[in-house]
Amino acid sequence: MKFDELIVLLPCHSLEDFPVHHEAAEAEGLLAAWSALWHPALIASADRLPTWYRADSPPDNLAGRLILIPEASESLLLAGWPARAKSEGAHVVRRLADRRQIVTAALEPLTGGDGGVEPALAEDFLAFGTGYLLTELLTRQMRYMSNIDETQLANELRAAAAAAMAHDGEQARLHLRNAFEVLTEARERFYPVNSYFIDLTLVARTTLGTDLQQELTGGTPTNLLLTGEALERMAADEPQTLAALRLALDHQTADIVGGEFDEAELPLLPLESILDEFRRGLAAFDRVLGRRPTVYGRRRFGLSPALPLVLSQLGYQGALHLTLDDGQFPQSDQCKTRWEGFGSTAIDALCRLPLDAHAPGSFLNLPRRIGESMDMDHVATIVFAHWPGRVSPFFSDLKRMSAYGAVLGKFMTLSDYFSQTDRPGDLTRFKPDQYRAPYLRQAIIREHSDSLSRSIDLHARRSMHASREAIEVFEGLATGRREPASSVGEVAEPAEAEPTPLVELARQRDVAAARLAAALSGSRSGGPRGYAIVNASSFSRRAAVDVSGLASLPACQGPVLAVQQDGQRKLAMVDVPACGVAWMVAGQEPPKRGKPLAEALALRNEFFEVSIHPTTGGIRSIYVPGQRGNRVSQQLALRLPAPRPKPGDVWRDPDETAQYSRMVAEKIEVTAAGTAFGEIISRGQLVDPENRPLAAFVQRLQIWRGVRVVRLEVELDVREEPRADPWNSYYAARFAWADEAAEMLRSVAGTVQPTSNRRLEAPEFIELREGAARTAIFSGGLPYHRFNGERMLDTLLVVRGESRRTFSLGIGVDVAHPAAAALEWHDPLSVVTDAPVPSAENSSRWLFHVDVRNVIATHWEVTGEAGSATGFRVRLLETEGRAGRVHLRTFRTPRLARQVDLLGNPLTDLPIEGDRVAVDLSAYEWVQIEALW
């Protein structure tokens, strides 16, 4: 049989109203039916190009016609028309969506079948058919009339089909290339510059085999989104895939996108932990490939405004401001923009959400997406994402088209895209509140355990590691030795290692503290001995120290502010200088008695008075002398969601209808009532409205003289497990305040940021500002909080799957610098109980000092060679959004100081003013300074 005409019936009146809204099988059927007609055997048989008719108005002359009917057109056909078409000599193919099946059915009656045409060449013809339709639809999307030179196009395609049937692949491809150029010229009439396609291949440890190898050997530029962990697994389990990746990287047909070792929960981490994640990942890329990614991206949610600050200093060229997970993140008006993060740092970013390269609807709707990008973006870009081997045949068509020319778009690696396309002129700054992590709900759905306490442990380990590291550096600088552990660029722990237990980190820190205290004491062997308290922070700290090992309480002089003895326990309130040590020895005279800090149902020091509720055992009020009004109240509670409304009921705010347990105190007692430390313990039950016990609680409230923080130690004995919805069923510490207009702020990567979200991630603190009054809630690593109404906050303690039952929180009253105060929570001062002391009875010494407390040091390193310390590096973070000049005072005058990036590359020299290094910081900037003695 020979076909006289190739026809597809479409469910539209013209290409202007072509139905691009279809999805799944209907979309695939439309594209497959159209493109299947462009097989070279069919074109050679008809000696003409395919055409189309309206499904509700098919042709009258049917003999010798090949007619394809996609599923989307079936409902528009006249009753009995397909049977009549067959009876009159037409070959009708219907109720098929797979293109290969359609082609096989179309070729079945054709004399000679497919003529033995090379399969790859036949696929190029089918790709041309897809390209022809998409070009015509794009032309109309861009408000232009069709301007394809149909005569030249027909001549080139007929010649190409004839050459293909004659098995002359070279001539067939030559004429096919000319036909593609006709389409390109038509597109250039309304958009004379290139648009770009980004192929993003998602890689996981389960997708490293044959399909990924084929992706890498295809020749079309692709981008692998993978982690350092997946790359190491590839090297171990799939060496052939790794070889293909190396070859593709050498030929610049592939690019690697990523940088982390594993996709951690970055928005919940401090900056140093974020940097650790990158260093571990980049080390894996160096080991396996000998190169690092220059474009950052991740599949799991994890975007944060802190990322540009890190990426720009690690040598990244660009970033993907998108993820393929749950969670919310903002989108830019432009596809390619300059993403500005903290510290006025910025990095080029691709912000367009990708299309699913496996979904046929993505390609049926592609002309609209391309047209919108051409209209709105200064760099028209379409991003496709897929797993290896999981792509639609129409995505393969786009790749085949790209081998002949940039008809609709040019495939590029992301490195080339960021380096070769126009740089955006505008900066885009996103607010922290525009990012909302899905981690808590995901953890419950996936039945992960300890979704809250993991964050507590992580922050505790990060703080302990940082203080141990800093003390080791200080000891090396004080003695002139460069310890191997303080090498430049060291990560916290090897990626493959088990985490060092917190107890062991504390032991290592205390050993280093003993060495530092001995080095700074200046005492000779056999001299006096006492207590040494070591502060690794870049700001001075005030803390209570158990000095029960002393024969008598130390005298209240020098760094010692107050002392107290309860039975055999001796306590001292001590001021310890920044990056320094304070010493204490036993006093010769008994301390003077003062006013106790605790009495029945009340705790008070010179800054505030805490009143305990006699019925609940929680905090009834916190008052500040000379100020009116209660600062904050607190209780413990189990929240349960309200009953589901019945159909037809009036909608009510879930926060208004939520049910909370009652806190019932059974015993309240004063357990410490000294002049330096006060403590009251409440014990009782949390009960439901029917007085059924849900949990037992113990809550300790502690205050110290000279300290603006009330410490809450909470212990729960849970009997009623929360329900599966973690944001509506949880045990929480509930806080309430009076002023509905109070300004809310929260911690984001160690900085203070305004917030108005109802559900928050803030693992360090939340602050309430009511005029000059400032009240901070230190969460101790607990990451999740929920606002209820306008003046209540729940800090989540226990959700389903959480095993931790003891928690430490704090309430800061007029704490001037909450970011600095939050660092103290997981980092108790290191106490050396038997240390040599200087000649003075109670004294202190320091090594470094930052002159403003809104700037904190997050990391220290010794620099030098051959075991000799020649200088140091320090990273400073501005936490409160206040730009200005900062001075770092040093115990030894440096001869040279400069700012360097996170890779150690010098950026600018810094002025030295005596023993101080001056650096100008912008708001929220994080800088690394290097100084040489």
Side-chain angles (χ1 to χ4, degrees):
M1 180 179 181
K2 180 180 181 297
F3 294 128
D4 296 327
E5 191 174 14
L6 312 174
I7 298 170
V8 60
L9 300 184
L10 299 180
C12 57
H13 294 83
S14 69
L15 291 183
E16 276 76 10
D17 65 336
F18 188 90
V20 297
H21 61 277
H22 289 294
E23 300 287 343
E26 288 189 336
E28 183 177 13
L30 278 170
L31 291 171
W34 177 284
S35 58
L37 292 176
W38 298 77
H39 191 282
L42 298 177
I43 294 177
S45 174
D47 197 31
R48 59 190 297 184
L49 298 185
T51 189
W52 69 276
Y53 286 83
R54 290 166 49 180
D56 59 357
S57 182
D60 295 327
N61 190 1
L62 298 172
R65 268 61 178 174
L66 170 63
I67 302 175
L68 305 187
I69 306 175
E71 182 65 30
S73 300
E74 289 281 348
S75 62
L76 300 176
L77 293 175
L78 298 175
W81 185 88
R84 180 170 70 86
K86 291 180 181 179
S87 66
E88 293 184 10
H91 179 59
V92 179
V93 178
R94 59 189 298 214
R95 295 193 174 96
L96 293 176
D98 182 87
R99 187 165 68 182
R100 292 187 178 182
Q101 295 178 358
I102 294 174
V103 170
T104 300
L107 292 173
E108 183 178 357
L110 187 65
T111 302
D114 65 4
V117 174
E118 178 187 344
L121 181 58
E123 292 291 334
D124 288 350
F125 275 83
L126 302 182
F128 181 88
T130 301
Y132 179 89
L133 173 64
L134 297 182
T135 301
E136 286 287 76
L137 295 178
L138 177 60
T139 301
R140 288 156 177 80
Q141 172 70 28
M142 296 298 291
R143 303 165 297 280
Y144 276 76
M145 298 290 292
S146 177
N147 50 34
I148 293 177
D149 188 337
E150 297 288 351
T151 301
Q152 183 184 358
L153 185 68
N155 291 337
E156 293 292 349
L157 274 177
R158 288 159 57 198
M165 297 301 290
H167 307 294
D168 187 348
E170 183 177 351
Q171 280 298 310
R173 288 183 171 86
L174 176 61
H175 287 291
L176 198 55
R177 185 177 300 277
N178 293 338
F180 272 111
E181 288 180 357
V182 173
L183 296 184
T184 303
E185 290 174 2
R187 188 265 299 163
E188 288 177 343
R189 294 285 184 89
F190 57 81
Y191 198 77
V193 296
N194 279 331
S195 57
Y196 299 97
F197 291 153
I198 303 298
D199 175 17
L200 197 61
T201 302
L202 312 180
V203 181
R205 59 198 308 177
T206 57
T207 63
L208 302 174
T210 304
D211 288 338
L212 183 55
Q213 289 181 45
Q214 293 176 353
E215 294 273 353
L216 293 168
T217 56
T220 305
T222 188
N223 304 273
L224 303 191
L225 184 63
L226 78 167
T227 62
E229 190 271 342
L231 183 62
E232 289 194 338
R233 183 59 61 91
M234 182 191 299
D237 299 342
E238 298 289 344
Q240 292 181 336
T241 303
L242 180 61
L245 174 58
R246 285 173 171 158
L247 187 62
L249 290 171
D250 291 339
H251 291 168
Q252 298 182 354
T253 58
D255 199 6
I256 47 176
V257 181
E260 302 164 70
F261 185 78
D262 202 359
E263 293 184 335
E265 298 175 348
L266 292 189
L268 305 183
L269 302 183
L271 278 172
E272 288 294 341
S273 293
I274 293 175
L275 180 58
D276 282 347
E277 293 295 325
F278 276 97
R279 283 186 165 162
R280 290 171 179 167
L282 294 175
F285 282 96
D286 281 335
R287 286 193 300 269
V288 177
L289 293 176
R291 69 180 79 194
R292 296 181 169 191
T294 59
V295 176
Y296 171 72
R298 56 184 284 154
R299 181 176 62 86
R300 187 188 184 198
F301 181 88
L303 298 178
S304 163
L307 276 175
L309 190 64
V310 178
L311 298 175
S312 60
Q313 296 193 62
L314 285 176
Y316 276 89
Q317 183 182 13
L320 298 182
H321 190 269
L322 56 94
T323 57
L324 305 175
D325 193 13
D326 295 332
Q328 298 180 24
F329 55 89
Q331 298 185 41
S332 171
D333 294 336
Q334 285 290 316
C335 179
K336 183 181 181 183
T337 188
R338 288 285 288 172
W339 177 18
E340 184 178 11
F342 295 159
S344 300
T345 54
I347 189 169
D348 286 356
L350 180 59
C351 300
R352 186 70 75 238
L353 285 172
L355 301 179
D356 182 357
H358 181 62
S362 298
F363 303 93
L364 190 64
N365 196 32
L366 184 60
R368 183 181 69 84
R369 299 295 295 269
I370 296 176
E372 290 174 350
S373 187
M374 288 177 171
D375 276 337
M376 303 299 296
D377 297 324
H378 70 277
V379 180
T381 309
I382 301 294
V383 184
F384 298 96
H386 61 92
W387 293 104
R390 297 281 294 170
V391 296
S392 163
F394 311 109
F395 183 65
S396 300
D397 287 351
L398 291 182
K399 288 192 168 185
R400 289 184 174 276
M401 291 162 56
S402 70
Y404 289 91
V407 179
L408 297 173
K410 179 181 179 182
F411 280 91
M412 294 188 78
T413 63
L414 281 165
S415 293
D416 288 342
Y417 176 81
F418 282 112
S419 63
Q420 297 179 15
T421 60
D422 292 339
R423 188 169 188 176
D426 296 331
L427 293 173
T428 302
R429 175 178 291 181
F430 301 115
K431 297 179 180 179
D433 272 4
Q434 293 176 281
Y435 300 87
R436 297 189 184 181
Y439 304 137
L440 180 57
R441 192 179 298 276
Q442 286 177 344
I444 304 303
I445 292 173
R446 297 167 185 173
E447 298 184 348
H448 293 170
S449 61
D450 297 334
S451 54
L452 304 182
S453 58
R454 281 201 311 269
S455 178
I456 298 175
D457 294 341
L458 185 147
H459 281 76
R461 290 172 47 75
R462 175 71 254 176
S463 296
M464 189 64 70
H465 172 80
S467 62
R468 184 205 68 181
E469 180 183 64
I471 292 171
E472 289 175 347
V473 169
F474 298 156
E475 194 260 338
L477 293 172
T479 60
R481 296 192 305 269
R482 182 177 188 267
E483 298 293 336
S486 301
S487 59
V488 174
E490 179 210 13
V491 299
E493 292 176 15
E496 67 278 4
E498 287 294 325
T500 305
L502 192 61
V503 173
E504 175 60 19
L505 282 175
R507 188 197 66 80
Q508 295 173 4
R509 184 199 63 170
D510 291 344
V511 169
R515 294 199 307 265
L516 175 62
L520 295 183
S521 69
S523 297
R524 297 181 180 179
S525 177
R529 306 188 72 84
Y531 273 55
I533 296 86
V534 179
N535 176 20
S537 303
S538 58
F539 47 88
S540 61
R541 291 178 55 175
R542 178 174 295 175
V545 178
D546 189 326
V547 292
S548 299
L550 294 177
S552 60
L553 288 170
C556 291
Q557 64 182 50
V560 181
L561 302 180
V563 294
Q564 167 182 328
Q565 183 165 355
D566 296 322
Q568 298 299 314
R569 186 175 67 164
K570 303 181 183 74
L571 295 176
M573 285 301 302
V574 186
D575 270 341
V576 189
C579 306
V581 183
W583 288 271
M584 292 180 292
V585 296
Q588 302 299 319
E589 300 179 3
K592 298 178 181 179
R593 297 187 59 84
K595 190 174 182 180
L597 299 186
E599 60 184 31
L601 301 180
L603 295 165
R604 62 175 61 87
N605 64 12
E606 62 268 46
F607 301 122
F608 51 74
E609 177 179 330
V610 182
S611 175
I612 288 78
H613 199 288
T615 302
T616 67
I619 297 176
R620 178 161 62 182
S621 62
I622 298 180
Y623 288 99
V624 176
Q627 297 182 14
R628 297 180 60 185
N630 174 26
R631 282 295 184 89
V632 69
S633 302
Q634 176 270 338
Q635 290 187 15
L636 302 174
L638 168 64
R639 172 181 169 129
L640 293 173
R644 289 182 176 274
K646 298 178 181 179
D649 286 354
V650 177
W651 181 89
R652 295 183 64 187
D653 188 337
D655 286 348
E656 295 179 0
T657 57
Q659 299 176 343
Y660 284 90
S661 65
R662 290 186 298 112
M663 185 180 183
V664 179
E666 298 173 344
K667 184 178 182 181
I668 302 174
E669 59 179 330
V670 176
T671 53
T675 60
F677 171 70
E679 179 183 73
I680 294 179
I681 297 180
S682 304
R683 292 179 171 85
Q685 303 282 335
L686 304 181
V687 300
D688 65 11
E690 288 76 34
N691 290 323
R692 183 172 59 94
L694 303 173
F697 73 84
V698 177
Q699 177 167 289
R700 292 176 173 83
L701 298 176
Q702 302 170 339
I703 68 169
W704 296 264
R705 185 168 302 282
V707 176
R708 292 184 173 272
V709 178
V710 183
R711 189 178 186 96
L712 285 76
E713 299 286 345
V714 175
E715 181 179 345
L716 294 174
D717 181 6
V718 173
R719 301 169 189 172
E720 179 82 13
E721 281 289 323
R723 299 182 188 177
D725 183 355
W727 284 109
N728 279 307
S729 181
Y730 50 76
Y731 287 91
R734 307 200 71 203
F735 301 91
W737 54 95
D739 188 357
E740 295 183 354
E743 180 186 6
M744 310 296 172
L745 301 100
R746 65 179 172 117
S747 61
V748 179
T751 66
V752 184
Q753 301 290 337
T755 183
S756 59
N757 283 351
R758 310 305 296 175
R759 299 178 181 181
L760 300 177
E761 300 91 38
E764 294 160 318
F765 62 87
I766 290 176
E767 187 181 33
L768 313 173
R769 294 184 182 178
E770 307 169 63
R774 302 173 63 173
T775 307
I777 297 170
F778 299 107
S779 53
L782 287 163
Y784 301 115
H785 315 264
R786 174 171 182 156
F787 279 113
N788 290 295
E790 300 299 326
R791 55 183 191 85
M792 286 181 286
L793 174 75
D794 294 352
T795 294
L796 278 62
L797 303 178
V798 177
V799 296
R800 176 166 291 189
E802 177 59 57
S803 64
R804 192 182 187 104
R805 295 295 184 262
T806 58
F807 309 92
S808 297
L809 300 98
I811 302 174
V813 179
D814 295 330
V815 174
H817 306 282
L823 289 180
E824 302 180 25
W825 207 257
H826 285 303
D827 185 22
L829 294 172
S830 185
V831 179
V832 184
T833 58
D834 183 25
V837 299
S839 55
E841 184 173 324
N842 293 333
S843 62
S844 59
R845 293 179 181 175
W846 58 269
L847 293 170
F848 297 96
H849 173 70
V850 179
D851 65 349
V852 290
R853 291 196 53 143
N854 60 301
V855 175
I856 57 177
T858 63
H859 172 79
W860 296 88
E861 294 176 12
V862 178
T863 60
E865 296 179 356
S868 176
T870 59
F872 66 91
R873 282 182 179 173
V874 60
R875 288 194 281 272
L876 301 178
L877 172 65
E878 200 289 311
T879 63
E880 298 176 13
R882 295 189 292 158
R885 172 158 286 200
V886 178
H887 294 93
L888 172 65
R889 192 176 180 189
T890 69
F891 72 99
R892 182 177 173 184
T893 302
R895 64 176 176 83
L896 172 68
R898 59 191 176 190
Q899 184 178 334
V900 299
D901 63 17
L902 294 176
L903 298 176
N905 300 315
L907 299 176
T908 183
D909 290 338
L910 299 175
I912 298 174
E913 303 170 0
D915 60 356
R916 302 186 304 170
V917 177
V919 56
D920 294 316
L921 293 181
S922 59
Y924 304 120
E925 189 173 7
W926 191 38
V927 300
Q928 182 162 257
I929 295 172
E930 180 180 78
L932 301 177
W933 303 134

